[in-house]
Amino acid sequence: MRAFFLTIFLSLYFSVSAQVDDFQQDIINYLNVNGTVQQYGVAYEELIDVLKERVAIPDTPESFWYKLKEGKEESIDELIFILTFAYRKHFTQDEIGEILEFYETEAAQKSTSKSLKLTEEEDKIIEDFYKSDVAIKIESIQDELSKDITLIYNDWSREFFAEKLGAIVKAGYSKKM
């Protein structure tokens, strides 16, 4: 009898775990397709530039900067992983699925690129999305979601900055203050 209950419990546990993983992957896919991952890649480079300009001595070798940038993808992945919890707080998996489905359309991709002209059909797709329940929800929770994202990003960037600053100092490339 115990084996039966254990089997049921483990089946439910792994079923729920798989759903959580699927939900998280949907959010990650959304953050990739809507340009968020690319934005944080740029932010990563900008933080390195700030360190170059304000902390490091001018003749710091390029090989050092190359090595300092190692782990960029892992660092961005960590940030995105943490950001998924902000989205989980505000959206259901079905809602994220709807948002992802929209952002995967050519119309949404063209709309995020301000330089591309939309067709009437694409305008209609975008207009329909913005009238949808999920788009209305996005609008209603935007401030709260933005605060959560900002907190997460600020924590990540502080840790990133401290880690990279420490590496500059340890290597002996910091300016004398």
Side-chain angles (χ1 to χ4, degrees), residues 3-19:
F4 174 74
F5 285 115
L6 183 59
T7 303
I8 297 286
F9 173 76
L10 289 175
S11 297
L12 287 172
Y13 173 78
F14 287 118
S15 171
V16 169
S17 293
Q19 289 173 355

Side-chain angles (χ1 to χ4, degrees), residues 26-27 35 51 54 56 61 77 81 99 134 158 167:
D26 287 347
I27 296 168
L51 288 166
R54 296 186 183 166
D77 287 348
F81 176 81
I99 298 166
V134 73
R158 265 192 302 278

Side-chain angles (χ1 to χ4, degrees), residues 11-67:
S11 297
L12 287 172
Y13 173 78
F14 287 118
S15 171
V16 169
S17 293
Q19 289 173 355
V20 169
D21 291 341
D22 289 344
F23 187 13
Q24 189 157 358
Q25 189 58 55
D26 287 347
I27 296 168
I28 291 168
N29 291 343
Y30 162 63
L31 295 175
N32 270 295
V33 77
N34 80 352
T36 299
V37 173
Q38 293 77 12
Q39 281 180 312
Y40 288 121
V42 170
Y44 184 101
E45 295 294 330
E46 288 172 350
L47 288 170
I48 294 288
D49 289 343
V50 167
L51 288 166
K52 259 185 181 179
E53 293 171 16
R54 296 186 183 166
V55 177
I57 57 175
D59 59 346
T60 302
E62 280 304 310
S63 60
F64 175 78
W65 294 115
Y66 180 79
K67 187 161 182 65

